[in-house]
Amino acid sequence: MGESVSCSSSIASISCCGSDDGTKNNKQIGKSTGTAACLAIYYDESNKKIYYSGVDTVSQQQGFFEGAGKNKHFYHWGKGFALCFARDAKGRIRVGGHYGRAILTNGNLEVDNTKRAYSGVICMSSDNRGRVWKGTSRGLFFEMPDGKEMRFD
């Protein structure tokens, strides 16, 4: 799918703590958030949309954006900045941050309050077997397409 800078994986997700990869698109994305606080970018090959963390310049709330320009939509999820994104086997966009997780399905955002061994997700990736891999402060976990989660030891 792409390349990851935040995790060693094969996903189109990039951590961008103020860095610039030199592409015109990356510069435009940074300007459109109205802030230098972009912490993650994800381009989804399936829906051709871009997802990136930032601050809504109107409400000053932390969250993440979907799309760009006139089609840009801001999601305030109450969990701070989004740090990572991945598409799961069911076609949903998974969102992770220091303080929580969420699932975005067709524009509907649902905060994931499932009890887990960790609270936040620092980096995330999906593989060709439908697993979602999650890097957390408690180690590496993977979630199977059926929702069962295991720690990778």
Side-chain angles (χ1 to χ4, degrees):
M1 266 198 239
E3 185 176 325
S4 173
V5 175
S6 59
C7 298
S8 297
S9 66
S10 59
I11 192 167
S13 179
I14 303 168
S15 286
C16 64
C17 302
S19 66
D20 181 16
D21 68 358
T23 66
K24 185 177 178 184
N25 289 338
N26 198 18
K27 290 178 184 175
Q28 289 173 341
I29 292 164
K31 285 183 180 178
S32 68
T33 64
T35 180
C38 176
L39 300 176
I41 299 171
Y42 171 74
Y43 178 75
D44 188 73
E45 293 284 342
S46 298
N47 67 13
K48 307 297 184 211
K49 289 185 180 179
I50 193 157
Y51 299 84
Y52 55 101
S53 64
V55 175
D56 179 36
T57 55
V58 176
S59 67
Q60 296 300 306
Q61 295 179 336
Q62 297 174 346
F64 67 95
F65 294 90
E66 174 185 60
K70 293 179 183 178
N71 297 321
K72 179 171 63 175
H73 181 76
F74 178 76
Y75 292 93
H76 172 64
W77 64 319
K79 301 293 182 183
F81 285 109
L83 297 177
C84 51
F85 306 90
R87 179 173 286 278
D88 68 14
K90 296 178 182 176
R92 306 171 301 178
I93 299 295
R94 306 293 287 272
V95 184
H98 277 297
Y99 305 109
R101 305 159 313 276
I103 300 169
L104 182 62
T105 310
N106 299 322
N108 296 314
L109 183 68
E110 180 183 332
V111 175
D112 180 2
N113 292 315
T114 305
K115 180 107 170 109
R116 305 227 187 245
Y118 53 87
S119 60
V121 179
I122 301 164
C123 62
M124 190 172 0
S125 183
S126 56
D127 66 20
N128 59 4
R129 292 170 56 185
R131 297 175 295 193
V132 176
W133 292 84
K134 303 171 190 177
T136 76
S137 61
R138 302 260 176 148
L140 181 62
F141 292 81
F142 64 95
E143 184 178 332
M144 300 299 289
D146 65 4
K148 182 179 177 184
E149 188 169 82
M150 299 173 63
R151 182 181 171 111
F152 184 77
D153 290 320

